[in-house]
Amino acid sequence: MALTGQSTDDQAVLDAEHELWATTFSYIKSMALKSALDLRLADAIHHHGGAATLPQIVARVAVHPSKVLCLRRLMRTLTVSGVFSVVQQEDVVVPAAPVNNGTCNGAVAAEPLYALTPVSRLLIGSQSSGSIMAFVLSPVLVAPFLGIGAWFQHALPDPCLFEQAHGEALWEMSGHDAALDALINSAMVSDSRFIVDIAVRESGDVFRGISSLVDVGGGLGAAAQVISEAFPHLQCSVLELEHVVSKAPAGTCVKYVAGDMFESVPPADAVFLKSVLHDWDDEKCVKILKTCRKAIPPREAGGKVIIIDIVVGADKKHGEVHALLDLYIMFINGVERDEQEWSKIFLEAGFSGYKIIPVLGFRSIIEVYP
């Protein structure tokens, strides 16, 4: 029977309802991922060679026996969302339904075999991308976004989303909350190692031709350590606040300098900024960039600033992630920038030119020249 105009309209409405529910339940996907991190499901599957049945997973994780069937439901969500994949295994013996006397007979049934995917392979180990995901999905960072509607109703200047929710800034809280401080440090270290290692392989020429580099706001120095290991001739240092430098690891080739990037930057052939400028508004970014420009030699002598950050709209493939990251960074009143916005602050800081190298997935390398 041919579809009528009304039934076609109804189907469109139902499709719209599906999209609405899918968007609404996006946070369920996030919490399922958080559960996978908390339970270390990827590590459990990795222990079995990259694929495991539910009983094998249960043997490696802290799940109460009464909730094994609930874990199967969690795994189903994680497979449809692409964190894991699933194949059917026909020869696994699993308990059958109870018979009349209340006992179970062993029966051959199709037991799913859960396998790692490229996504879940990023979650294996203590220094994996799971560290930064655990930070982003922690209650202290999720809670501020529950009040984003109310935040929009107040005039600027206004406390950022984080302060609105917790009554203090993120960095103030981490100063007296050791668990949060450890979570932040672990996240920054793992993310820096991950992305800078790829940057060195994919665009190593960026670091060639210079003899010294200072990583401004480089935390515990994970990025500088990766660069130093890849280019042993390169003298790498990290500029950070004094309380961060006091926690820096010993026994590395990286030098740590206590200071304030708004005041001055140690001289070097190149300044490195990874995910630093998106924390600040344009005025503060220009101030940081000006101190960086004073620290490097002229362009003809090889001076430059190397930035790893988001360039919104650099490609359509990552458009949704760019938009989400831009909204996310509002929790500390930060901002992600498109090329025009980057160009504006470079010009205001006195730089003569720049080059965007989009080789890091949703992030890019930007070379900025004095």
Side-chain angles (χ1 to χ4, degrees):
M1 183 170 63
L3 290 174
T4 65
Q6 183 62 52
S7 62
T8 302
D9 290 344
D10 286 344
Q11 189 57 54
V13 170
L14 291 171
D15 289 344
E17 184 199 34
H18 172 267
E19 290 299 321
L20 185 61
W21 277 104
T23 299
T24 300
F25 276 149
S26 293
Y27 81 97
I28 299 292
K29 290 171 61 176
S30 297
M31 292 304 104
L33 176 61
K34 183 180 186 304
S35 298
L37 295 171
D38 292 343
L39 295 171
R40 304 191 70 84
L41 296 178
D43 286 317
I45 295 174
H46 179 66
H47 175 80
H48 289 285
T53 62
L54 193 69
Q56 289 174 322
I57 294 171
V58 169
R60 298 288 304 178
V61 301
V63 172
H64 192 277
S66 66
K67 294 181 179 174
V68 171
L69 291 181
C70 296
L71 180 62
R72 189 184 299 276
R73 293 158 69 181
L74 173 63
M75 294 302 295
R76 180 169 57 193
T77 298
L78 292 168
T79 56
V80 298
S81 61
V83 177
F84 301 113
S85 64
V86 64
V87 294
Q88 293 298 324
Q89 207 176 228
E90 300 294 342
D91 57 350
V92 177
V93 177
V94 295
V99 294
N100 290 338
N101 63 4
T103 61
C104 293
N105 291 330
V108 176
E111 175 73 14
L113 188 68
Y114 299 100
L116 296 173
T117 65
V119 173
S120 48
R121 289 188 183 280
L122 294 177
L123 308 178
I124 297 169
S126 60
Q127 290 298 313
S128 66
S129 294
S131 296
I132 192 164
M133 298 307 150
F135 170 61
V136 172
L137 293 173
S138 63
V140 72
L141 257 69
V142 172
F145 288 94
L146 299 178
I148 193 169
W151 180 84
F152 271 108
Q153 298 173 40
H154 301 299
L156 290 171
D158 199 38
C160 65
L161 285 166
F162 191 93
E163 290 184 62
Q164 176 182 268
H166 299 295
E168 59 183 332
L170 174 65
W171 308 117
E172 292 173 342
M173 181 181 287
S174 66
H176 61 78
D177 186 329
L180 176 60
D181 186 55
L183 189 65
I184 292 172
N185 288 334
S186 178
M188 298 303 105
V189 167
S190 65
D191 186 60
S192 292
R193 285 194 174 279
F194 172 78
I195 201 64
V196 177
D197 187 55
I198 295 176
V200 165
R201 292 198 306 268
E202 294 293 325
S203 195
D205 288 345
V206 168
F207 302 100
R208 294 189 176 93
I210 56 176
S211 59
S212 58
L213 176 145
V214 56
D215 183 358
V216 172
L220 298 180
Q225 289 170 34
V226 172
I227 296 169
S228 178
E229 291 164 5
F231 303 97
H233 72 281
L234 196 54
Q235 297 177 2
C236 294
S237 58
V238 173
L239 174 70
E240 258 295 359
L241 297 174
E242 188 171 355
H243 74 275
V244 178
V245 171
S246 67
K247 301 174 185 177
T252 74
C253 296
V254 174
K255 177 183 177 183
Y256 292 86
V257 180
D260 185 342
M261 61 186 169
F262 289 101
E263 300 299 328
S264 65
V265 171
D269 291 340
V271 169
F272 182 73
L273 295 162
K274 177 201 165 285
S275 303
V276 171
L277 298 178
H278 70 183
D279 290 350
W280 307 99
D281 61 26
D282 284 2
E283 182 180 353
K284 289 185 172 65
C285 279
V286 169
K287 190 170 184 179
I288 294 168
L289 287 167
K290 283 182 176 179
T291 62
C292 292
R293 183 170 56 84
K294 292 177 181 177
I296 58 177
R299 181 174 184 175
E300 306 79 54
K304 60 183 173 181
V305 174
I306 304 167
I307 298 171
I308 291 182
D309 220 316
I310 307 296
V311 179
V312 175
D315 62 79
K316 293 182 179 179
K317 177 181 178 181
H318 300 110
E320 182 179 10
V321 173
H322 286 169
L324 292 171
L325 283 165
D326 189 33
L327 192 62
Y328 162 75
I329 203 64
M330 281 171 45
F331 87 99
I332 54 171
N333 279 350
V335 59
E336 304 292 0
R337 296 174 172 86
D338 60 25
E339 182 174 354
Q340 184 176 355
E341 291 165 329
W342 279 115
S343 178
K344 176 177 176 291
I345 62 172
F346 294 154
L347 184 63
E348 289 182 15
F351 288 87
S352 64
Y354 64 91
K355 179 171 69 174
I356 296 173
I357 311 170
V359 294
L360 299 179
F362 63 84
R363 290 179 271 201
S364 295
I365 298 173
I366 313 174
E367 284 190 305
V368 193
Y369 313 110

